[in-house]
Amino acid sequence: MNYNLSTENIKKWETLKSSFKKFSSLTKGEGKRLLISVIAIVTNSLSTLSSPILLAYAIDNYIRTKDFNWILLFSVFLFLIYIVESTATYVQTKTMWEIWINILFRLRNRIFTKLQELPVTFFNQNKTWDLISRINSDTEKLNMFFSEALTQFIWNISLITWTWIFILAINFRLWIVTLLPALVIFIITHLISPWVKRRNLESLQSLWAMSSEIQESLNNFKVMVAYNRLDYFKEKFKKFNLRNYKAFIKAWIANNIFTPIYWFAANIAQLLTLSFWIYLIMNWNFTLWLLIWFQFYINFFYNSLREMAELWSLFQLASASLDRISEVISMESDMKIVPQEDSKETVSIIEFENVVFRYPETSEILKGVSFSLQKGMTYALVGPTGGWKTTTASLMARLYDPMDWKVYLDWKDIRSYTEAERANKIWFILQEPFLFSWNIKENILYWNSQFENYSNEDLLKELENKGLADLLVKFNDWLETEVTWGISLGQKQIIAFMRAILKNPELLILDEATANIDTITEHLLEDILKKLPENTTKVIIAHRFNTIKNADLIFFVNSWAIIQTWSMQDALEMLQHWVREG
Ligand SMILES: Nc1ncnc2c1ncn2[C@@H]1O[C@H](COP(=O)(O)OP(=O)(O)OP(=O)(O)O)[C@@H](O)[C@H]1O
Ligand SMILES: [Mg+2]
């Protein structure tokens, strides 16, 4: 399956309907609050709009006739309406605020949970910075829209709908005349919104591409400064910056296109209304209160529409951000846990049956590999650089699923184990050790339920039992040493090694795990490995033949097959032959 986010998201031209749908799907679980806020908004806009009717009616009927009783009654009524209006405003703001706070909280959790469910391929195909930006910046863009514009947005939509109904109630012909421009606005908005959103998406995309570029350059900055190759960095950065600049300008133009259109239509509408007024006046076909009402509603209607122009572009930006977030959320891992169908009677801990594998978007392929590893044995995988050793080991740990045929772990289909079950059986020391910026104790106890509550003293005793305590002399503060940037690659490998031994897995895979460790310490690690329980299977991947001298069996790995060799000399000859013949 292709998990590449950057190619997928821009090609879609979503309609307004599906954008609204996506936004409304966020409000799941907020039904009660949403109902309250909708009632508050409707009440609020109704009272805002009804007070001028009452005022106009009072002027027309009672102020002219000086009927003070009615004037008093109307004043009290108006006062009550103002109280309702302010209460509704308060309720509306409060509930909307609660809704978006909850939505954002849930959304960030959902993305992060989703990231944890996705397979390694997803992380191979996407840059870290792009993912970080989706969790942080895109949700922040939504936050901006929710906190600054959403209430205003819904409030305006509500006002526009009500004035639309009120104007219709007053005079049908006027309704037609004044609303024709609004209809044009609606159609134009509908047509150009997807285009505006696309521009915003492209701008966001290029911004994150530039951020990734900066991150990558900064990682290599030391080398670039040392070799005075800043010109290279400058050129590359300039290219990304220029792309970002162009995308930003395009998005800016697109976002600002609504304002002139809305304002132009509003002015035309006012011109049309004015002409109609002249026509009505000429025919003496109006009353004073009708004139006041009408003018008031027309102003209300078009002022709200003008405001909507700006809010609409914010909505498009938020919608583009939501698209980027939804893209991650809608990704489904294709590495599901499958029900156990068949099992194999075997003494092997792992068995490959004609396994075929290829990385997404590449053409090279690992073809039909079969082999099995017996419990308690030590195996070595040797082979040329780029010769599929790490990939084969990754398939053993189900970091990827083969395209064809099966891998069996302890006689069951490896896909039928849960992640936790698999992690208890297999542990993997990667070519590039993964550590957290915690101290050594926390790092070595990562995902280790057996020792997680051990005190330093108890843990030290355990490390001594396993022969690991001697390795701690390499760290100034022993278990408390913080793992920061000031730690060597070899030291990192030692920490990863200690973590793996403490896990006590049934199958331990060491992928170039001691490549950066001095020979004396490497001997120490070999002794520690010998102390592991008898039925522990070890797979050692190494280029240095010295590292694999204790292996019971050596496999030569290449893209065509995994071949069992008979001795180190045999393996070395195969390697020489392979490298020479290409
Ligand atoms: N994440 C990936 N995406 C695409 N192709 C990959 C990926 N990782 C490895 N490859 C390709 O798969 C092939 C096998 O790579 P692999 O890392 O398994 O080799 P290796 O034997 O471990 O090499 P080395 O001795 O350098 O560690 C190579 O052609 C490599 O370019
Ligand atoms: Mg490798």
Side-chain angles (χ1 to χ4, degrees):
M1 179 172 165
N2 196 345
Y3 291 98
N4 195 339
L5 292 170
S6 52
T7 52
E8 284 272 293
N9 61 5
I10 294 193
K11 70 174 188 250
K12 280 177 256 150
W13 281 71
E14 278 201 334
T15 58
L16 269 184
K17 202 171 135 200
S18 62
S19 292
F20 275 118
K21 233 174 164 177
K22 239 179 226 166
F23 270 91
S24 58
S25 73
L26 288 179
T27 55
K28 247 185 217 155
E30 292 296 323
K32 211 170 119 197
R33 279 202 190 89
L34 212 61
L35 187 71
I36 295 174
S37 74
V38 167
I39 293 174
I41 289 173
V42 170
T43 317
N44 196 357
S45 39
L46 259 181
S47 41
T48 307
L49 291 174
S50 59
S51 46
I53 307 181
L54 294 171
L55 210 60
Y57 190 79
I59 293 170
D60 211 25
N61 291 290
Y62 309 122
I63 295 188
R64 262 195 313 181
T65 55
K66 300 199 171 72
D67 192 340
F68 289 112
N69 282 346
W70 274 104
I71 292 173
L72 191 67
L73 198 69
F74 260 79
S75 307
V76 172
F77 198 50
L78 267 177
F79 182 70
L80 287 179
I81 285 184
Y82 291 146
I83 290 182
V84 169
E85 204 178 314
S86 8
T87 316
T89 307
Y90 173 75
V91 173
Q92 163 193 325
T93 316
K94 182 175 171 284
T95 43
M96 287 305 280
W97 186 80
E98 284 168 353
I99 291 172
W100 71 252
I101 284 275
N102 286 345
I103 288 178
L104 269 179
F105 175 76
R106 274 204 306 262
L107 196 63
R108 283 202 172 117
N109 268 349
R110 246 165 87 189
I111 313 172
F112 204 73
T113 313
K114 179 55 83 174
L115 285 184
Q116 285 171 311
E117 289 165 7
L118 289 170
V120 179
T121 316
F122 172 83
F123 298 93
N124 284 345
Q125 286 190 272
N126 296 292
K127 291 198 171 179
T128 323
W129 193 257
D130 183 49
L131 299 178
I132 296 173
S133 77
R134 285 174 204 245
I135 302 174
N136 280 340
S137 313
D138 286 331
T139 46
E140 199 48 47
K141 294 241 157 48
L142 275 185
N143 185 4
M144 246 169 61
F145 175 70
F146 279 121
S147 57
E148 288 168 22
L150 187 63
T151 315
Q152 203 58 24
F153 190 75
I154 298 179
W155 163 248
N156 271 335
I157 289 182
S158 167
L159 264 190
I160 287 170
T161 317
W162 282 118
T163 37
W164 188 70
I165 294 170
F166 276 39
I167 295 171
L168 177 65
I170 297 170
N171 187 316
F172 180 70
R173 280 188 299 168
L174 267 173
W175 183 75
I176 298 280
V177 170
T178 50
L179 295 179
L180 266 181
L183 190 68
V184 175
I185 288 187
F186 180 76
I187 293 170
I188 293 177
T189 304
H190 192 78
L191 290 177
I192 64 173
S193 288
W195 171 75
V196 175
K197 187 164 124 183
R198 194 180 142 91
R199 289 279 100 95
N200 276 308
L201 255 178
E202 280 166 356
S203 169
L204 289 177
Q205 200 73 21
S206 72
L207 180 66
W208 308 131
M210 190 175 76
S211 307
S212 299
E213 179 57 28
I214 294 174
Q215 190 207 20
E216 209 172 284
S217 303
L218 288 180
N219 284 345
N220 300 322
F221 217 66
K222 274 192 278 186
V223 184
M224 286 197 281
V225 171
Y227 288 99
N228 201 12
R229 281 310 315 264
L230 287 171
D231 52 338
Y232 168 77
F233 172 63
K234 266 190 220 151
E235 275 312 306
K236 260 191 111 183
F237 182 74
K238 217 161 114 187
K239 206 178 86 199
F240 276 94
N241 203 9
L242 189 69
R243 195 183 128 199
N244 181 43
Y245 169 77
K246 283 183 181 162
F248 179 79
I249 290 191
K250 279 186 190 165
W252 187 85
I253 291 172
N255 282 333
N256 284 292
I257 210 151
F258 292 118
T259 309
I261 293 175
Y262 279 48
W263 280 70
F264 182 70
N267 293 342
I268 293 287
Q270 262 159 354
L271 205 67
L272 284 177
T273 333
L274 199 67
S275 319
F276 202 70
W277 274 127
I278 294 170
Y279 164 77
L280 285 182
I281 290 167
M282 279 165 64
N283 291 294
W284 289 103
N285 198 4
F286 71 102
T287 58
L288 180 63
W289 64 269
L290 179 72
L291 196 141
I292 296 174
W293 273 14
F294 204 77
Q295 208 45 43
F296 179 82
Y297 288 127
I298 294 295
N299 278 341
F300 236 118
F301 186 84
Y302 280 100
N303 280 345
S304 301
L305 262 189
R306 282 189 190 114
E307 254 182 59
M308 277 302 273
E310 204 173 313
L311 295 171
W312 196 256
S313 55
L314 278 179
F315 175 65
Q316 292 309 312
L317 178 63
S319 179
S321 298
L322 183 60
D323 268 10
R324 280 168 51 83
I325 295 168
S326 307
E327 208 187 357
V328 179
I329 292 176
S330 62
M331 283 256 162
E332 280 300 326
S333 167
D334 59 353
M335 294 185 66
K336 300 271 180 246
I337 294 164
V338 300
Q340 171 62 29
E341 280 163 12
D342 52 346
S343 60
K344 260 192 134 173
E345 278 303 322
T346 162
V347 284
S348 50
I349 177 82
I350 209 111
E351 180 160 345
F352 275 41
E353 208 180 68
N354 262 324
V355 167
V356 177
F357 178 76
R358 183 174 61 204
Y359 286 102
E361 300 174 319
T362 59
S363 55
E364 279 193 69
I365 191 160
L366 179 69
K367 293 184 189 116
V369 169
S370 300
F371 69 94
S372 66
L373 306 181
Q374 311 301 310
K375 287 179 186 171
M377 300 263 280
T378 301
Y379 295 90
L381 301 188
V382 297
T385 299
W388 299 88
K389 300 180 294 297
T390 300
T391 311
T392 308
S394 308
L395 288 165
M396 287 182 202
R398 206 194 173 196
L399 297 192
Y400 312 111
D401 267 346
M403 288 155 62
D404 206 357
W405 291 99
K406 279 184 191 156
V407 175
Y408 292 93
L409 170 63
D410 212 0
W411 62 265
K412 271 164 60 181
D413 186 337
I414 195 167
R415 296 171 305 167
S416 63
Y417 290 87
T418 63
E419 286 85 0
E421 286 168 342
R422 223 174 340 112
N424 278 338
K425 280 184 169 291
I426 305 177
W427 198 258
F428 200 155
I429 308 186
L430 297 166
Q431 217 163 351
E432 294 162 39
F434 75 94
L435 298 179
F436 304 97
S437 48
W438 311 329
N439 65 26
I440 291 188
K441 181 183 175 189
E442 289 160 333
N443 262 294
I444 63 177
L445 291 186
Y446 169 72
W447 210 346
N448 191 324
S449 49
Q450 195 184 352
F451 303 118
E452 66 186 352
N453 296 321
Y454 271 42
S455 66
N456 280 5
E457 291 71 38
D458 293 341
L459 185 60
L460 262 177
K461 258 186 226 137
E462 193 57 43
L463 292 176
E464 265 160 30
N465 288 343
K466 293 187 160 28
L468 292 166
D470 291 345
L471 294 172
L472 280 176
V473 295
K474 306 217 173 286
F475 304 97
N476 289 340
D477 296 326
W478 288 62
L479 286 172
E480 300 291 334
T481 311
E482 291 294 326
V483 177
T484 57
W485 52 269
I487 202 156
S488 78
L489 188 53
Q491 284 173 322
K492 283 185 190 165
Q493 287 186 330
I494 287 175
I495 299 170
F497 185 85
M498 290 164 82
R499 178 200 285 158
I501 301 295
L502 274 183
K503 273 291 282 182
N504 196 15
E506 290 175 39
L507 172 64
L508 177 63
I509 304 169
L510 296 100
D511 187 359
E512 291 287 2
T514 55
N516 297 78
I517 290 172
D518 64 78
T519 320
I520 310 295
T521 315
E522 202 179 7
H523 286 316
L524 191 63
L525 301 189
E526 277 163 20
D527 293 341
I528 295 167
L529 283 178
K530 280 183 201 148
K531 282 191 186 166
L532 282 173
E534 238 176 46
N535 63 349
T536 311
T537 312
K538 285 154 265 173
V539 174
I540 303 170
I541 301 173
H543 285 297
R544 284 199 305 211
F545 271 62
N546 200 28
T547 312
I548 55 167
K549 62 180 186 299
N550 292 327
D552 299 312
L553 210 59
I554 302 172
F555 281 109
F556 179 78
V557 183
N558 60 62
S559 55
W560 295 96
I562 291 188
I563 306 161
Q564 186 179 325
T565 66
W566 301 108
S567 63
M568 285 241 278
Q569 187 56 34
D570 193 20
L572 191 61
E573 275 166 22
M574 278 190 199
L575 183 61
Q576 278 167 346
H577 179 74
W578 180 273
V579 173
R580 243 185 263 127
E581 302 295 313

